[in-house]
Amino acid sequence: QSLAIVGPNGCGKSTLINLLGRFYDPTDGCLQLDGVDLRDMRLADLRGRFGYVSQQSHLFDDTVASNICYGSPHATEQEIEAAARRANAHQFITEDLEHGYETVVGRRGNRLSGGQRQRIVLARAMLRDPEILVLDEATSQVDIESERLIHKALKEFIQGKTSIMITHRLSTLK
């Protein structure tokens, strides 16, 4: 099932996601996943069920391949490439980056455009193949073409998964 959380900046959308990931606990009541109070789950087990793509893509000063397989350290080259293809990132990686998957992206991915960074982070999430995918304003800072490619990739990927999209732009939900 897909769920959209829509509202203006500062209304608590990201706070809700932080509660789901148990970055803090509710002061009253509880949150449950499959009928189990999140506080009764091991933190690693809970967080292992989630994939998270936010507007601030977190990339490391390392290669494209290492950034994609962060969180999936035993992934093969073929699995990394398959995830990049699913995220519509393979083409720019192989055609636009001098060393392809071995290109160092720079601190915070500063050698890449915003759309390229987002597609690498999306490939990372797809490689992990999470049960629940959270997209927190994931396309709010990318150009129209990158947003189109990200949405195309997501349309296929979220089939059979739980997805939570947080946005303040109703147009993103289309």
Side-chain angles (χ1 to χ4, degrees):
Q1 189 173 31
S2 294
L3 169 71
I5 302 171
V6 183
N9 290 334
C11 76
K13 301 180 301 287
S14 295
T15 300
L16 177 60
I17 296 307
N18 285 327
L19 286 166
L20 285 175
R22 289 215 46 222
F23 293 103
Y24 42 87
D25 290 324
T27 56
D28 192 24
C30 71
L31 289 165
Q32 296 181 347
L33 183 60
D34 293 332
V36 177
D37 188 321
L38 298 185
R39 292 173 287 203
D40 294 333
M41 298 178 79
R42 285 188 43 221
L43 203 52
D45 292 339
L46 172 67
R47 291 184 183 164
R49 296 173 80 172
F50 285 87
Y52 184 75
V53 179
S54 72
Q55 65 182 331
Q56 286 91 16
S57 49
H58 299 285
L59 293 180
F60 305 97
D61 190 8
D62 205 340
T63 65
V64 170
S66 293
N67 272 285
I68 292 174
C69 73
Y70 181 79
S72 303
H74 302 294
T76 65
E77 288 180 22
Q78 293 80 15
E79 291 168 331
I80 292 168
E81 183 180 318
R85 285 182 185 279
R86 289 174 79 182
N88 286 310
H90 178 75
Q91 184 174 354
F92 88 78
I93 292 169
T94 57
E95 293 178 9
D96 299 343
L97 302 180
E98 185 177 354
H99 302 291
Y101 285 88
E102 294 308 309
T103 301
V104 175
V105 301
R107 189 167 175 231
R108 296 184 184 155
N110 67 356
R111 294 186 181 144
L112 304 174
S113 72
Q116 291 171 331
R117 286 192 301 268
Q118 285 302 89
R119 285 182 275 160
I120 288 174
V121 172
L122 182 58
R124 177 191 298 159
M126 290 177 161
L127 179 61
R128 286 194 53 241
D129 196 24
E131 183 181 327
I132 302 164
L133 181 64
V134 177
L135 302 154
D136 188 355
E137 301 281 5
T139 60
S140 67
Q141 296 181 4
V142 299
D143 61 80
I144 292 169
E145 178 60 14
S146 292
E147 183 174 21
R148 185 189 68 75
L149 290 170
I150 290 168
H151 284 249
K152 180 181 175 190
L154 286 171
K155 187 176 182 180
E156 256 182 54
F157 184 69
I158 64 173
Q159 297 301 314
K161 295 189 181 313
T162 298
S163 61
I164 303 171
M165 180 177 284
I166 299 170
T167 185
H168 67 275
R169 295 182 344 196
L170 288 175
S171 64
T172 301
L173 299 177
K174 291 178 185 174

